Amino acid sequence: MAEDEPHGGVKPVPDRPRVVLGVGGGIAAYKACELLRLFTETGHDVTVVPTAAALRFVGAATWEALSGKPVSSDVFANVPEVQHVRLGRDADLVVVAPATADLLAKAAHGHADDLLTSALLTATCPVIFAPAMHTEMWEHPATRNNVQTLRSRGSIVMEPASGRLTGTDTGIGRLPEPAQIFEFTSNVLRSAAVRTSSDCEGDHCAAEASWGFTPVVSDLRGRVVISAGGTREPLDPVRFLGNKSSGKQGFALAAAAVARGADVCLIAANVSLATPYGVAERYDVATTAQLHDAMMINVSGARAVIMAAAPVDFRPATVMDHKIKKGPDRPAPSIDLVENPDILVELVANRERQALEQVLVGFAAETGDDEGTVLGHARAKLARKGCDLLVVNDVSGGAVFGSDDNHAVLLGRDGSERALDPSSKIDLAHAIWDAVSALWSSRTR
Ligand code: CTP
């Protein structure tokens, strides 16, 4: 497949994805209102299907007002439209939040005694359960078996969060935060939409990520390591040399990789963002030396490494143990700098030395100048670093940093060049993973 074809992409992301939001009968049903709002505000067409028990916690009027659609729990409502079949068949995604122990049991055993369980039996799209229940119920062998059954059939059962439960209890069993469910489900929806089931052959799709679910599409099988953020080199106890990197692109890469089945290790340099749902390992570092060490320790066994972090290239030769003072008779200090290791270059050398089948991706934030264009500089950088792909951002005028959107050109070591449409950082993340996945496929052919 040519580099500039979207990998496996024939079915575009629908303009207005159809989401069935199933709501189980637990106190966390009120949190599903927030999830519903996140979906509707981002252009999803949501049909809410509460169970009868869920309507005892949050009434139909609330769901109808928030979704703008009639709501029913019952297969006998709207019979001529055969809603219990149509809902599941037409959906691009079904998400059940909260999924109670009872609902997981019914789904695992194929019950169809209300509209939601019937829709679950007719759904051919990704199905995601976000459980919420007391710790004892989550840990009971019956629930463990039901979760295992659902996962083995390709449904995604999220891990519940830990924290305050109903009453005075605390422990595992809390509904993951609505924003987390939304981010995760949106990623699953995106990755499912750009791939057809014909791309899923053999164990390619039956792969199980080590943190425990079998995604509907899992083209990113195995361990991937992503660095994110920007390093800081201390000058004195309060000052540092740093850069503008927010870490958003690296975190988007991590979230996208999780949704596509990868076992993700995220190394974050000075990033204050929450860890995306399902990231197996996160390590926080401050300086380039720490980032270097964390990368070298963790890349072992990785099928892909993406250096999205912006490491500071130089560090002060001496770090003052007291604050550098200014004053009328003090000259402005000059700072001696020493060069930091180039982590990407070392990763490439490491791969060559050990003859590893590892895809290495670099990022380059470039500006054009008298000596060359943005792409000219980037091509030279790709050759210098020796990685497989270089994601090039034109940052003239400070564009991109901290923003939720990004635009880039993807340069390949094979000479390929692909402009990626301006898009959200999460869409760009999926485009980058598409290119990594295509490289893996071409190498195993
Ligand atoms: N990089 C690295 N170690 C460094 C500097 C950069 O691993 N000490 C990686 C970055 O994570 C990125 C790629 O190299 O993936 C390009 O980073 P960039 O800062 O653009 O390149 P530099 O080599 O630092 O070149 P310059 O800043 O001079 O353009």
Side-chain angles (χ1 to χ4, degrees):
M1 181 181 298
E3 257 289 302
D4 55 354
E5 280 174 45
H7 174 58
V10 286
K11 185 179 163 201
V13 181
D15 279 348
R16 209 160 170 243
R18 283 158 304 193
V19 175
V20 169
L21 173 58
V23 185
I27 180 62
Y30 80 93
K31 290 193 181 169
C33 299
E34 173 65 9
L35 180 59
L36 171 56
R37 207 180 52 77
L38 290 167
F39 276 123
T40 52
E41 280 180 0
T42 46
H44 297 76
D45 171 357
V46 191
T47 305
V48 183
V49 186
T51 61
L55 291 176
R56 299 182 69 168
F57 288 96
V58 180
T62 304
W63 302 118
E64 290 184 349
L66 289 174
S67 69
K69 286 191 187 183
V71 155
S72 166
S73 305
D74 186 358
V75 277
F76 294 104
N78 214 348
V79 171
E81 286 202 14
V82 204
Q83 236 196 332
H84 67 292
V85 176
R86 197 180 44 78
L87 265 179
R89 265 195 203 151
D90 290 355
D92 296 306
L93 180 87
V94 177
V95 52
V96 182
T100 57
D102 181 56
L103 204 41
L104 291 175
K106 283 182 170 159
H109 292 276
H111 287 211
D113 57 359
D114 65 4
L115 191 55
L116 178 54
T117 48
S118 305
L120 286 171
L121 280 187
T122 54
T124 53
C125 59
V127 176
I128 299 173
F129 294 91
M133 65 196 74
H134 270 78
T135 309
E136 294 83 348
M137 297 172 93
W138 175 248
E139 290 178 346
H140 193 283
T143 307
R144 304 311 311 149
N145 278 348
N146 292 332
V147 168
Q148 185 51 40
T149 302
L150 291 167
R151 284 177 176 165
S152 69
R153 285 192 204 128
S155 296
I156 297 170
V157 184
M158 295 178 76
E159 288 295 319
S162 258
R164 185 79 195 268
L165 304 170
T166 326
T168 53
D169 289 358
T170 54
I172 188 155
R174 219 175 123 85
L175 186 74
E177 286 310 309
Q180 233 181 1
I181 302 173
F182 173 71
E183 185 195 43
F184 178 67
T185 51
S186 311
N187 270 304
V188 171
L189 188 56
R190 271 189 186 87
S191 55
V194 293
R195 261 151 289 278
T196 57
S197 53
S198 62
D199 291 318
C200 295
E201 285 161 12
D203 71 346
H204 189 62
C205 279
E208 184 165 339
S210 70
W211 55 276
F213 80 83
T214 309
V216 177
V217 279
S218 61
D219 61 333
L220 302 181
R221 201 147 61 90
R223 179 177 179 79
V224 302
V225 178
I226 302 156
S227 71
T231 60
R232 292 178 183 173
E233 300 296 345
L235 276 168
D236 68 16
V238 292
R239 301 184 180 91
F240 57 82
L241 299 177
N243 58 58
K244 292 184 178 177
S245 180
S246 66
K248 283 184 178 175
Q249 186 61 65
F251 274 50
L253 281 159
V258 166
R260 290 165 71 156
D263 190 358
V264 179
C265 171
L266 180 59
I267 307 199
N270 306 296
V271 183
S272 54
L273 302 169
T275 309
Y277 174 79
V279 166
E281 295 163 61
R282 170 179 176 163
Y283 302 102
D284 286 278
V285 296
T287 64
T288 299
Q290 289 168 358
L291 177 61
H292 168 272
D293 293 352
M295 293 303 293
M296 296 308 152
I297 291 167
N298 286 291
V299 294
S300 157
R303 294 188 72 206
V305 181
I306 302 194
M307 279 296 296
V312 173
D313 288 320
F314 302 96
R315 65 181 184 276
T318 327
V319 181
M320 304 304 286
D321 58 8
H322 57 271
K323 193 177 167 197
I324 302 166
K325 297 273 192 303
K326 67 174 181 196
D329 18 287
R330 288 175 200 259
S334 48
I335 301 162
D336 284 333
L337 298 172
V338 289
E339 195 166 333
N340 275 327
D342 192 309
I343 303 164
L344 188 52
V345 165
E346 243 183 79
L347 289 171
V348 171
N350 197 31
R351 174 182 68 177
E352 310 302 319
R353 210 173 31 249
Q354 299 185 47
L356 301 174
E357 286 284 334
Q358 198 173 57
V359 171
L360 294 170
V361 183
F363 268 70
E366 293 287 347
T367 56
D369 57 25
D370 296 345
E371 290 173 25
T373 60
V374 166
L375 285 185
H377 285 309
R379 268 265 158 242
K381 186 169 284 182
L382 176 60
R384 216 165 51 237
K385 303 262 178 185
C387 51
D388 301 290
L389 296 165
L390 191 70
V391 185
V392 187
N393 295 130
D394 181 347
V395 292
S396 314
V400 175
F401 292 113
S403 137
D404 287 328
D405 292 331
N406 208 345
H407 53 88
V409 175
L410 202 53
L411 297 183
R413 196 157 54 129
D414 59 0
S416 60
E417 179 176 323
R418 181 169 156 217
L420 303 172
D421 291 336
S423 64
S424 66
K425 287 188 171 172
I426 199 74
D427 284 336
L428 183 68
H430 280 289
I432 294 167
W433 285 124
D434 286 344
V436 170
S437 177
L439 273 179
W440 284 348
S441 303
S442 69
R443 286 176 188 181
T444 51
R445 243 175 243 146

